[in-house]
Amino acid sequence: MNLPDAPSRPDAEADIQDVPIHRQHPAWMTLRRLFRHQLFLTGIGLFGIILAAAILAPIIAPVDPTKLAMRYKFRPPDGTFIFGTDNFGRSLWSRVIWGAQLSVVIGFSVVLLNAIFGTLIGALAGYFRSLDNGLMRVNDALMAFPAILLAIGVTAVLGPSTFNVILALAVVYIPRTARIVRSSVIVLREMEYVQAAVAAGAGHWRILRRHILPNAMAPLIVQLSFLFAYAVLSEATLSFLGLGAVPPTPTWGNIMAEGRQYMSEASWIITIPGIALMITVMGLNLLGDGLRDVLDPRLRIQQ
Amino acid sequence: MSLLEVRDLTTAFKTERGEVTAVEDISFDLDEGEILGIVGESGSGKSVTALTIMGLLPQPPARVVRGSVHFAGELLTGMSETRLERIRGAGISMVFQEPMTSLNPVLTIGEQIMETVRAHEAISVRDQRLRAIEMLDRVGIPSAVRRLGDYPHQMSGGQRQRVMIAMALACRPRLLIADEPTTALDVTIQAQVLDLLMDLRDELGMAIMIITHNMGVIAETADRVLVMYAGRIVEQAPVARLFDRPLHPYTRGLLDCVPTLEQDRNRLVAIPGSLPEPARRPAGCRFAPRCGHRIDACSAAIPPLVAVDASHASACIRTDILA
Amino acid sequence: MTALVSATGLTKHFAVRGGSFLRRHTTALRAVDGVDLQIRSGETLGLVGESGCGKSTLGRLLIRLIEPTGGRIDFDGHEITGLSTKAMRQHRRAMQIIFQDPYGALNPRMSVEDIIMEPLLIHGARADAATRAKVAEALRLVGLPARAAQRFPHEFSGGQRQRVGIARALVLNPKFVVCDEPVSALDVSVQAQIVNLLQDLQKELGLTFLFIAHDLSVVKHISDRVAVMYLGKVVEVAEKHAIYSAPQHPYTQALIAAVPVLRPQDRARGRRVRIAGDIPSALNPPSGCRFHTRCPHVMPICRVQEPALTEPAPAHHVACHLVNPV
């Protein structure tokens, strides 16, 4: 390239003084906004409790959650047994904490599978018009089933296990994620900066990677935080119905299913995992609302 | 007494970075039958001024910090929402820039005009319908009777803007505020709508406030002009006077920097720099950083709007030297 | 002078789905309908018309951002219609575009340096010091300081962003630039800066511009020749003084008459001809001459026969039965 020496542009001089000295990376600004957002902070706090319990499970709940001790059965919460014991004398503290770990593992796995396959399907369908019809009709067919019914169906066919629960929930939620990614991609595909890249000779792969996917991430992240909550809730439902992880592995769902029989004598067995579930879902929903407020520009303009 | 009297009007908004003043110390009068043009660029506060007068800004985040608005002798600032609703439409009405989003897509235009009438006058459905037909006819929609049943999407942008004007006129307001009424329209349609507004003034004797960024629209319609920059009035003059002998350097810059069909120039005289954001307005005269006649004193204090004669005022400390 | 860009019978029809749920049908939206146009090397051709006339589509067709439905485009002596994406890439260096919306034209997640560097990287440069130096030069050329490279689009004003967009278009050293309404989204006081910048750049770099705008005054200021479009057709092309002082087509005359003058004492109302009515839909354009529904001089033949683009005066092309009676 052979540009001549840049001449002075007097009209621009006042502008030049306006160019800010401090670099503001957009990601940094988003973070700063997030950490000023009350809902988001509350959500992070609540979910943080569950996450910490899941990670620290081996340390804070060293008692084997499956260890039977019939002589201690139906002990209400007290100094020895923080959350009391169940009908087999197992420590409910251990069972709920380890249950948290399972919930978090399943939640993360489902979110991860959605992030990968939902983005892939959504981006392909949104960007390449020729693929759109085929991919979206399959998607629509899967979305036509009520979520929990489809999950029950898939686990019933595959058999109850942690892995199959993850698989079932991924099948249920990926079409929904794909739809959200697709709709952002369709909008972004028409942006003028994408046109500019085409005009410069950029290929599809570069356009998707540099221009479309990074800008489609915001709504996806919001969706994934809500998805985490749905996944935890659905997993609890499945194991409550006996379709989740096989007992004696503790999950909030199967603890509650067992506790249901002793609801009047030992109400803590069903109440405590229920509260844990509530904290998780509420925390994630608040976190998702906060993310949406900060990340979704359409809502920000209205404020 | 003027129809509209605005005194020291100052409106601020609550933002992430604290309260930001959008318009400051706005004072002007508007007489019956007069067309007042308010010209300014983005961030000048021209729309905020109109919305404050109408009481249409949500409070919070907006807040009228000080000042007053009198319409036909009644104090509007601080008036209850119920009483304001009675004045809006019947006393003052407003036409917005975007005719697409200002009309409800699921109601026919007839229903929308009749609804406006119903809100202010206790008249029969038959009379409401007659009024709607009269108004559509008045704004130049052909075969008005047939078009009453049309939905907004069945009309073109220019026709929608006519419908908006018909709605605004339905209760025979004494003041019509038109906020960028032709910005979304093509130039041949713009000419039609501007002609219409002036005909309406002549026939109905109502006052019109036209808010625009386009000096051409001002030249074609206004009797008197306010020039706004960064939230303040910088110049006020009768229209011929403003184009003939502009005083404020910003007004002069605005007139010089637009190419015209009449003249040929090799190069445009640009105003350097950008418009200041409301949260980052410079101290003193807000135009000073972009002004070719700037001296140190310009940044010391905000120059007040000073009258040079009965009708012409400018907010520049160097008016005497530059005039 | 030779034509750098030339369009022959260029046509673009968009398929629009319409009708009720049960009776679907597709209609062709004739955005550009058989346009012949030459852009000479080194000139600025202004392209004016109202919304929906197809001027923006035509601009994008010429640099093959949109695939034409029919017709032929020649660029710098080569036919480029029908070239594969790969074969097209080498021509892309020479043709660039500047957009209207300074907000939508820059990827908000990329720094200014990354934005301007991208075209270079696509054409084989590496992200090294030499490439960065080119970015800095491009910035200087559009009047932005080198430190702007590290900033992100949201930190700039509209006019500054437009400068970044211009730098991106120029960094490949193109011959031909489509300027698609480059100033109409900017504040009035900033427009003149960008107009001046474009004129300076054209002179310094010997660029050829297609300047698309709806503002007739700006087009008159910047153009050498002007083409007027109405509903997918070019109705008049001529040297700019010929167009503005002696417009031949009734539509051109109406357009010019509708522009507000900056002299309140010369108000147009009641003195000049106004055309009535709205622009018809490009989905169902009027028969014959497309302007006949609004034309003050309409004749019977206008409703049935489409006027051809003729040359009643040297280098002045008009498509109107008044000018060229059958």
Side-chain angles (χ1 to χ4, degrees):
Chain A
M1 189 183 67
N2 232 338
L3 293 175
D5 265 357
S8 76
R9 305 271 184 230
D11 299 346
E13 263 164 28
D15 261 13
I16 290 170
Q17 286 156 17
D18 277 356
V19 173
I21 309 294
H22 300 291
R23 175 181 168 144
Q24 286 183 302
H25 195 285
W28 178 239
M29 286 180 53
T30 305
L31 273 181
R32 217 174 44 192
R33 268 208 204 90
L34 272 178
F35 282 98
R36 280 199 210 131
H37 197 284
Q38 288 300 327
L39 286 183
F40 178 79
L41 292 178
T42 316
I44 278 272
L46 290 176
F47 183 59
I49 296 171
I50 303 297
L51 201 63
I55 293 166
L56 301 175
I59 301 162
I60 57 173
V63 178
D64 182 353
T66 60
K67 190 180 140 201
L68 305 183
M70 291 307 280
R71 62 193 160 117
Y72 294 127
K73 72 176 181 181
F74 294 131
R75 285 283 203 91
D78 62 16
T80 331
F81 299 100
I82 304 168
F83 284 173
T85 62
D86 68 2
N87 51 322
F88 294 114
R90 293 174 295 198
S91 158
L92 204 60
W93 169 258
S94 280
R95 292 185 66 74
V96 168
I97 298 286
W98 286 93
Q101 192 178 58
L102 193 75
S103 291
V104 167
V105 166
I106 289 178
F108 264 121
S109 312
V110 173
V111 162
L112 193 69
L113 287 172
N114 266 272
I116 297 167
F117 293 102
T119 306
L120 190 71
I121 297 169
L124 291 177
Y127 188 76
F128 298 103
R129 287 180 168 187
S130 51
L131 296 177
D132 192 25
N133 223 341
L135 285 172
M136 281 301 116
R137 291 304 80 77
V138 175
N139 231 21
D140 290 347
L142 285 172
M143 281 173 71
F145 291 97
I148 197 69
L149 219 60
L150 183 60
I152 289 171
V154 175
T155 40
V157 170
L158 299 175
S161 82
T162 308
F163 179 75
N164 289 346
V165 167
I166 294 172
L167 214 62
L169 294 180
V171 169
V172 170
Y173 289 113
I174 283 172
R176 289 163 170 77
T177 310
R179 236 181 208 285
I180 290 188
V181 174
R182 173 179 170 269
S183 57
S184 335
V185 171
I186 286 177
V187 173
L188 293 169
R189 193 182 56 190
E190 303 302 326
M191 292 301 287
E192 289 188 333
Y193 55 79
V194 172
Q195 300 287 308
V198 175
H204 297 310
W205 170 235
R206 168 180 276 274
I207 288 171
L208 273 169
R209 189 170 49 90
R210 299 267 290 170
H211 296 290
I212 292 188
L213 289 179
N215 287 294
M217 282 302 118
L220 178 67
I221 289 169
V222 174
Q223 160 75 1
L224 291 179
S225 65
F226 291 123
L227 177 71
F228 202 124
Y230 296 143
V232 170
L233 211 52
S234 308
E235 181 274 328
T237 312
L238 288 175
S239 34
F240 187 85
L241 297 170
L243 291 165
V246 188
T249 309
T251 76
W252 292 342
N254 68 26
I255 300 170
M256 287 163 85
E258 283 174 24
R260 195 171 57 98
Q261 302 161 45
Y262 312 104
M263 217 146 83
S264 46
E265 311 92 299
S267 56
W268 62 89
I269 304 178
I270 190 164
T271 316
I272 291 170
I275 292 172
L277 190 59
M278 197 188 76
I279 292 176
T280 316
V281 172
M282 209 162 85
L284 284 165
N285 280 343
L286 290 177
L287 191 152
D289 282 339
L291 282 170
R292 188 173 49 198
D293 286 354
V294 172
L295 292 178
D296 199 324
R298 276 165 303 178
L299 293 167
R300 205 184 305 147
I301 288 163
Q302 282 169 12
Q303 288 162 0
Chain B
M1 188 187 67
S2 297
L3 181 64
L4 183 74
E5 290 181 2
V6 178
R7 291 289 173 275
D8 303 322
L9 194 65
T10 302
T11 306
F13 287 87
K14 208 171 265 158
T15 70
E16 276 182 357
R17 292 177 204 151
E19 204 170 58
V20 172
T21 307
V23 296
E24 210 168 66
D25 298 329
I26 304 296
S27 300
F28 63 90
D29 291 338
L30 176 53
D31 289 326
E32 303 258 7
E34 186 182 25
I35 299 186
L36 177 73
I38 300 187
V39 67
E41 300 176 274
S42 58
S44 66
K46 57 192 191 301
S47 291
V48 173
T49 304
L51 292 170
T52 310
I53 292 170
M54 290 290 281
L56 283 176
L57 287 175
Q59 305 192 16
R63 183 169 76 91
V64 176
V65 180
R66 62 173 177 272
S68 64
V69 178
H70 280 91
F71 175 73
E74 274 192 283
L75 180 67
L76 297 190
T77 33
M79 187 183 266
S80 74
E81 184 60 26
T82 341
R83 290 185 60 203
L84 264 179
E85 272 167 19
R86 217 172 25 111
I87 289 181
R88 265 183 236 139
I92 314 176
S93 59
M94 195 158 173
V95 176
F96 297 92
Q97 171 176 349
E98 200 35 82
M100 196 67 137
T101 51
S102 308
L103 288 169
N104 185 339
V106 300
L107 292 180
T108 65
I109 58 164
E111 283 164 348
Q112 297 188 51
I113 300 175
M114 286 160 69
E115 192 177 275
T116 316
V117 180
R118 198 154 50 231
H120 294 283
E121 292 173 47
I123 57 174
S124 69
V125 175
R126 208 185 98 86
D127 288 344
Q128 289 168 22
R129 209 178 116 81
L130 286 177
R131 180 79 64 83
I133 294 168
E134 180 199 333
M135 288 304 146
L136 285 180
D137 193 51
R138 189 65 280 281
V139 298
I141 301 256
S143 45
V145 181
R146 208 159 39 91
R147 308 230 53 178
L148 272 188
D150 279 2
Y151 288 91
H153 73 264
Q154 292 169 290
M155 318 194 95
S156 68
Q159 282 177 325
R160 275 194 290 260
Q161 194 58 293
R162 285 171 190 271
V163 171
M164 284 303 300
I165 295 173
M167 275 173 73
L169 295 179
C171 292
R172 307 198 166 100
R174 295 166 75 186
L175 169 62
L176 177 70
I177 301 181
D179 188 359
E180 301 271 9
T182 59
T183 305
L185 304 177
D186 283 309
V187 63
T188 55
I189 312 296
Q190 162 173 293
Q192 296 169 5
V193 170
L194 294 182
D195 285 357
L196 171 66
L197 286 176
M198 296 188 68
D199 291 347
L200 290 172
R201 187 271 302 263
D202 292 352
E203 290 159 29
L204 308 175
M206 66 180 175
I208 301 180
M209 187 192 288
I210 288 190
I211 295 165
T212 180
H213 67 279
N214 186 333
M215 274 292 192
V217 169
I218 294 287
E220 291 278 348
T221 56
D223 300 323
R224 209 155 49 83
V225 190
L226 303 180
V227 182
M228 289 187 70
Y229 185 79
R232 298 187 68 94
I233 296 176
V234 295
E235 186 162 4
Q236 175 174 349
V239 68
R241 181 72 173 269
L242 188 87
F243 282 84
D244 200 32
R245 273 207 297 139
L247 287 178
H248 198 279
Y250 173 63
T251 316
R252 292 182 180 184
L254 266 189
L255 288 171
D256 280 344
C257 74
V258 291
T260 63
L261 289 185
E262 296 82 36
Q263 302 162 313
D264 278 321
R265 291 184 200 156
N266 283 328
R267 200 179 162 77
L268 299 175
V269 187
I271 302 178
S274 316
L275 295 147
E277 286 173 44
R280 294 199 298 191
R281 287 175 179 156
C285 172
R286 274 136 192 203
F287 186 62
R290 305 176 70 188
C291 181
H293 305 289
R294 168 187 64 236
I295 54 173
D296 288 346
C298 292
S299 298
I302 294 177
L305 194 63
V306 176
V308 291
D309 60 40
S311 62
H312 196 166
S314 170
C316 175
I317 55 169
R318 306 197 69 198
T319 301
D320 296 341
I321 301 143
L322 301 176
Chain C
M1 262 196 282
T2 51
L4 178 68
V5 187
S6 132
T8 318
L10 198 58
T11 300
K12 177 67 190 181
H13 293 178
F14 291 104
V16 176
R17 269 187 233 154
S20 65
F21 180 69
L22 292 174
R23 300 166 129 228
R24 281 248 179 262
H25 56 84
T26 13
T27 324
L29 187 147
R30 295 146 167 259
V32 173
D33 210 9
V35 164
D36 296 336
L37 196 65
Q38 277 79 44
I39 304 171
R40 298 169 190 159
S41 195
E43 78 168 344
T44 297
L45 178 70
L47 184 59
V48 292
E50 295 178 284
S51 53
C53 72
K55 56 190 190 297
S56 198
T57 306
L58 177 58
R60 283 162 204 232
L61 280 173
L62 291 179
I63 58 169
R64 277 198 60 196
L65 268 186
I66 307 178
E67 286 306 306
T69 313
R72 167 188 170 126
I73 307 158
D74 289 273
F75 182 80
D76 208 6
H78 305 277
E79 179 177 358
I80 58 163
T81 21
L83 285 187
S84 70
T85 313
K86 213 176 149 199
M88 193 58 211
R89 187 163 297 165
Q90 51 168 328
H91 293 290
R92 293 232 176 264
R93 296 188 76 109
M95 46 174 87
Q96 284 297 310
I97 181 164
I98 298 164
F99 296 98
Q100 168 177 7
D101 176 12
Y103 293 82
L106 307 177
N107 185 340
R109 298 194 184 263
M110 285 166 73
S111 70
V112 163
E113 181 169 73
D114 288 341
I115 288 170
I116 299 174
M117 196 189 284
E118 183 170 44
L120 295 168
L121 299 183
I122 290 168
H123 288 276
R126 265 189 259 149
D128 54 15
T131 309
R132 289 207 168 80
K134 283 184 185 173
V135 172
E137 267 178 58
L139 280 173
R140 222 152 30 106
L141 199 63
V142 298
L144 286 173
R147 69 171 186 282
Q150 300 310 315
R151 312 274 175 266
F152 285 85
H154 71 90
E155 300 172 79
F156 293 91
S157 69
Q160 291 170 330
R161 286 178 209 222
Q162 202 56 298
R163 289 177 194 271
V164 174
I166 294 170
R168 170 180 59 194
L170 296 185
V171 76
L172 285 174
N173 212 9
K175 290 179 181 162
F176 175 53
V177 181
V178 173
C179 308
D180 188 2
E181 302 261 13
V183 299
S184 52
L186 301 177
D187 276 301
V188 182
S189 71
V190 179
Q191 287 185 7
Q193 297 175 15
I194 300 299
V195 169
N196 284 346
L197 175 66
L198 288 171
Q199 280 187 309
D200 291 347
L201 289 168
Q202 179 177 41
K203 232 174 285 162
E204 289 157 19
L205 306 173
L207 300 168
T208 304
F209 281 156
L210 176 68
F211 192 93
I212 302 169
H214 65 275
D215 182 331
L216 277 88
S217 317
V218 172
V219 167
K220 184 189 175 202
H221 176 78
I222 203 167
S223 307
D224 299 307
R225 287 192 309 139
V226 176
V228 182
M229 272 186 93
Y230 188 75
L231 279 178
K233 294 270 182 195
V234 169
V235 296
E236 187 161 1
V237 192
E239 194 271 325
K240 87 170 156 192
H241 289 289
I243 283 262
Y244 284 92
S245 56
Q248 300 288 304
H249 198 284
Y251 178 61
T252 314
Q253 293 166 357
L255 263 186
I256 292 170
V259 176
V261 290
L262 286 181
R263 286 191 309 267
Q265 57 276 24
D266 288 350
R267 276 186 188 169
R269 184 165 69 127
R271 284 191 213 180
R272 278 184 282 164
V273 192
R274 291 280 201 243
I275 47 167
D278 290 303
I279 307 160
S281 162
L283 276 173
N284 185 19
S287 60
C289 172
R290 289 177 181 189
F291 188 59
H292 84 248
T293 53
R294 302 173 78 194
C295 184
H297 311 292
V298 63
M299 305 178 291
I301 188 173
C302 303
R303 299 197 173 89
V304 287
Q305 194 181 329
E306 191 175 317
L309 200 63
T310 56
E311 197 170 350
H316 195 141
H317 295 78
V318 188
C320 178
H321 291 305
L322 279 176
V323 177
N324 183 36
V326 179

